[in-house]
Amino acid sequence: MSDSKLAGQFFDAAIGLLERVRDEEAGAVAAAGAAIADTVASGGRLFAFGAGHSSLAAQDVVYRAGGLALMNLLAVPGTLGVDVMPATLGSALERVDGLAGAVLDSSPARSGDLLVIISLSGRNALPVEMAQNARALGLTVVGVTSVAYTTGTKSRHASGGFLRDHCDIVLDSKIAIGDAELTADGVEAPFAPASTVVTSALMQAMMATAAEELVARGIEPPLLRSGNVDGGHEWNGRVMQEYGDRIFYRH
């Protein structure tokens, strides 16, 4: 069987995007990592939010081996992905006014914490209001989005603004509008989205920077180990006990 030409094209496209964000977003990644380290060092808590497939990159940094134990998922019921039926409900909920405020008000988030909001388009009411309300509460807000959408689409929020307009730090994933890297003869729609690959890489780069920053300040990064490695459970138990008041996925 011959190698797939389209598979190779997808890998090339993804690698190209990763190289772009590595080079062009280095300053934003450094700023986000420093902000996370600031929050950890000052006793704050960390949260990540994303709706639909953007939630995958948020989940990727919560309760995982090699990740910061303090990163919590800020979940909005019905918007995490295809676990809700019908799946289209999740997309509809992203456009509901007031939902973000209700979620934040009932969450443990408070002034001094940090929230990473992931939204590819950044145009729907949910991520925009989440950023607005979080900053009003005194949280530092990091947005991970595709800035291309701000010039190629219209906001669905009443303010006319996008996620990037309400963040302290913005990381641009460089993903083109429509999130599909390939086209081919005989295929009527563009396909092969790369946003998950690139956004997850930005998240992990941010976490790595935060660990580096904490070490530079003489603070041991509260990292989790794999439970499939000898001693992992014991290590994680110690970390979770030490930071239990800042970890909410255990309650």
Side-chain angles (χ1 to χ4, degrees):
M1 183 181 293
S2 62
D3 294 339
S4 167
K5 181 181 74 171
L6 290 176
Q9 288 179 4
F10 176 75
F11 281 120
D12 288 344
I15 291 167
L17 285 163
L18 289 170
E19 289 177 338
R20 280 192 67 194
V21 296
R22 179 195 64 195
D23 298 340
E24 298 173 20
E25 296 302 299
V29 170
I36 291 170
D38 287 342
T39 305
V40 173
S42 63
R45 293 86 60 81
L46 306 173
F47 298 89
F49 164 75
H53 286 95
S54 290
S55 75
L56 297 176
Q59 294 177 59
D60 193 45
V61 295
V62 176
Y63 184 53
R64 71 164 305 151
L68 285 175
L70 305 193
M71 183 58 78
N72 301 278
L73 187 67
L74 185 65
V76 178
T79 67
L80 282 182
V82 294
D83 60 330
V84 63
M85 292 294 288
T88 49
L89 176 61
S91 299
L93 288 173
E94 289 186 61
R95 305 177 192 182
V96 174
D97 294 332
L99 182 56
V103 168
L104 273 173
D105 288 345
S106 59
S107 80
R110 65 190 185 194
S111 180
D113 293 346
L114 180 143
L115 171 61
V116 182
I117 300 176
I118 304 163
S119 174
L120 180 61
S121 73
R123 67 189 296 225
N124 288 310
L126 187 55
V128 174
E129 288 185 1
M130 190 71 77
Q132 287 179 320
N133 289 12
R135 289 178 87 185
L137 283 173
L139 278 75
T140 298
V141 176
V142 177
V144 186
T145 187
S146 170
V147 172
Y149 279 83
T150 64
T151 56
T153 68
K154 291 184 178 180
S155 169
R156 290 182 174 137
H157 186 247
S159 69
F162 288 77
L163 170 62
R164 68 168 296 188
D165 301 320
H166 303 284
C167 298
D168 298 290
I169 301 164
V170 176
L171 281 68
D172 181 6
S173 64
K174 317 292 182 181
I175 299 295
I177 295 173
D179 190 20
E181 294 301 317
L182 303 183
T183 56
D185 291 340
V187 183
E188 293 300 317
F191 57 102
S195 61
T196 305
V197 173
V198 177
T199 304
S200 290
L202 280 169
M203 296 294 289
Q204 295 299 347
M206 197 190 308
M207 297 299 138
T209 303
E212 183 179 30
E213 284 275 338
L214 287 166
V215 169
R217 302 175 195 197
I219 300 171
E220 179 188 346
L223 296 169
L224 295 173
R225 290 181 180 266
S226 171
N228 297 315
V229 174
D230 290 344
H233 284 299
E234 292 76 15
W235 172 281
N236 292 342
R238 177 183 65 81
V239 172
M240 289 187 180
Q241 183 173 12
E242 182 176 349
Y243 291 95
D245 60 334
R246 298 155 77 181
I247 296 172
F248 301 102
Y249 50 78
R250 298 189 69 205
H251 303 304

